[in-house]
Each structure stands twice: as C-alpha cells, then as structure tokens.
Amino acid sequence: MLRGRASWYGREHQGKRTSSGERFNRFKFTCAHKSLPFGTRLRVTNVKNGKSVIVRVSDRGPFRHQRIIDLSEVAARPLGIISLGAATVIAQVVPATTPLGPAAAPRNLVALQAADPNPAAPFTTYELSSLPDSTMLAATASATTPSAAASASTTTGSASQFLVQVGIFQEAQNAEAMRARVLSLDPSLTIEIKEEVLAGQQVSRVLISQLDTWLAAETVQRRLQSWGVTGVVRQLPSQAVVASATTPVAAPLN
C-alpha cells in the first residue's frame, strides 16, 4: 500500500495512444503508474475525504511533481481531485475481479491514517503498513485459485524480486563512494556492488537489494530521490527469483 500525491489527465490526452497500446479515454476508470503491470487494479482513496475509486493501470507516469499516480478524469472526479489538481491518496492493489468505478473506502482507513508517519507532508511518498482489511482479505481469497497460489509459492517463495539501481560507474572508487553516500542516508538498506562488462568496459553497478515488492522498491527510490539520489526500480528475472527461492546460494543480479 503506497501513500503519495495523485493528479489527473483528461481532454488534452483524449484518444491518444497510451503506453499499453490502447487509446486513452477520459471517461474510463484507468490510471497511469510508473511500474505496475498493465491491467493491475488499484483502489485509490483520498485520505482527506475518504472517497475511493477502483482503477485499472493502462499507462505509464506521472513523471513530474513527485506524484505516484495519474487518474483519468472520470476517476478523479469522485475523489474531488478535479478542482484541486492533485490530492494525497492511498493506493492499494486489489483483485482483478474488483469492479471498476467508485468504491467503498478501506475499512481500516482510520487506522491507516493514524499509522501515517508524516501526514502533513503532501509530496512524501512511502509504503504504509497493510493493516488487516477483512473485505480485501475475503476478496483476495475468493479470487485466488489453488493452482495460482501454488504457482506463486513456487515462483517467489521468500526471495527478493526487486532492486533499485542507483548508479553505474567505470571507476570502482566512485561506486564505493555512492554506496557510502546511500548508507549514510539510510543505514538499514542492503547495498551491493556488482562488477560486470558492459559494451566492452568493466563497470560497477550500485544496487539496493532485498526488496520483496514493487511498493518497497518504489518507496526506497522515492525516498532517495528526495535526498538528491537518482534511482531506477528494476525487477529480477523470474529464473533468478526461482533460483534464490530454491537454493541457499544467492542468485546473481542481472
């Protein structure tokens, strides 16, 4: 579950091709997100008024103003974002069977608001604790088949699936300096330096690993961005995840 700013887009993009290949329609409940797979459904809730809407990811963005999501015009209206331009929201992945459109707010909204470590910071993006929501748990259980659950268990296990790359350097000492800088900002992060050959040259990648979800990775990336460190969220190849889930030896980062 992610907390941050949401904006909207409408008439000026009507009919234009989105990153998913479909045409943008401001009258459909869709949204733009930087990294979630196309087709993912989200419950987006305005933390100020408690209004919620279910949307489907069909585009990439937003890429400015430290925002986490761009809503279509029809999706932004129930949340009261049209007149404001942007608002602070909570975004939560929901089952693919969840109907699009206006929806009930999370039952644990009050608890989520109380758990927000910095509610007065409109442009801060971070992951909120996914406190129990009985409605969400029931919907997820009914939408998950035994085969799908088995597949998820086999594929992911307890393995980390995401990382944040904070630099590629030709000089090893520069990579070490970046590693030291990031650790000085957040000592809790797990940072690795991977040596590899790129375009015939030896380079060092500085990678933040041990991130199990896209939410965790994007939260780290946004936090580093606020400190002036540019990072890119990457997903480990499936075979690397399987290897790290089934053997005690850490899989190589690709």
Side-chain angles (χ1 to χ4, degrees):
M1 187 174 296
L2 197 65
R3 185 261 199 195
R5 295 288 280 180
S7 48
W8 67 280
Y9 60 136
R11 187 187 303 274
E12 68 277 15
H13 294 277
Q14 183 70 15
K16 292 183 179 180
R17 189 78 66 179
T18 65
S19 298
S20 66
E22 65 182 79
R23 298 285 183 181
F24 174 71
N25 187 335
R26 63 193 178 108
F27 301 114
K28 289 188 176 181
F29 289 90
T30 59
C31 70
H33 187 275
K34 287 189 178 69
S35 57
L36 276 174
F38 295 129
T40 300
R41 298 196 177 199
L42 297 169
R43 176 168 56 189
V44 182
T45 304
N46 184 330
V47 298
K48 294 295 185 181
N49 59 23
K51 302 293 185 180
S52 292
V53 67
I54 306 297
V55 294
R56 176 176 56 84
V57 177
S58 65
D59 204 358
R60 289 290 176 239
F63 298 107
R64 58 178 182 169
H65 303 310
Q66 299 181 326
R67 294 171 184 173
I68 63 170
I69 194 170
D70 259 341
L71 299 168
S72 65
E73 181 177 336
V74 72
R77 286 191 182 282
L79 304 186
I81 296 179
I82 296 296
S83 59
L84 298 174
T88 301
V89 302
I90 294 171
Q92 176 186 28
V93 177
V94 297
T97 54
T98 308
L100 299 173
R107 291 188 178 182
N108 58 345
L109 178 59
V110 173
L112 287 171
Q113 292 171 331
D116 193 331
N118 197 2
F123 297 109
T124 299
T125 300
Y126 44 80
E127 189 174 9
L128 291 176
S129 174
S130 295
L131 301 174
D133 181 339
S134 57
T135 301
M136 179 62 194
L137 293 175
T140 303
S142 63
T144 304
T145 63
S147 59
S151 174
S153 175
T154 302
T155 302
T156 60
S158 60
S160 299
Q161 300 180 66
F162 298 86
L163 54 81
V164 177
Q165 177 178 289
V166 292
I168 304 178
F169 303 91
Q170 292 184 356
E171 301 294 333
Q173 59 265 35
N174 292 337
E176 288 290 350
M178 175 58 76
R179 179 178 183 276
R181 179 186 178 189
V182 173
L183 283 176
S184 70
L185 296 171
D186 189 344
S188 68
L189 295 175
T190 300
I191 307 178
E192 305 173 10
I193 296 179
K194 180 192 174 187
E195 306 288 342
E196 64 179 67
V197 176
L198 183 64
Q201 294 185 324
Q202 185 77 20
V203 297
S204 301
R205 294 182 187 268
V206 183
L207 307 168
I208 299 173
S209 59
Q210 303 301 313
L211 302 170
D212 296 334
T213 67
W214 68 266
L215 281 175
E218 187 167 294
T219 299
V220 169
Q221 186 265 338
R222 290 294 186 118
R223 189 163 69 245
L224 290 174
Q225 185 180 34
S226 70
W227 292 330
V229 177
T230 301
V232 179
V233 176
R234 297 175 57 194
Q235 183 171 12
L236 286 168
S238 58
Q239 61 268 29
V241 176
V242 171
S244 59
T246 55
T247 68
V249 181
L253 300 177
N254 293 321

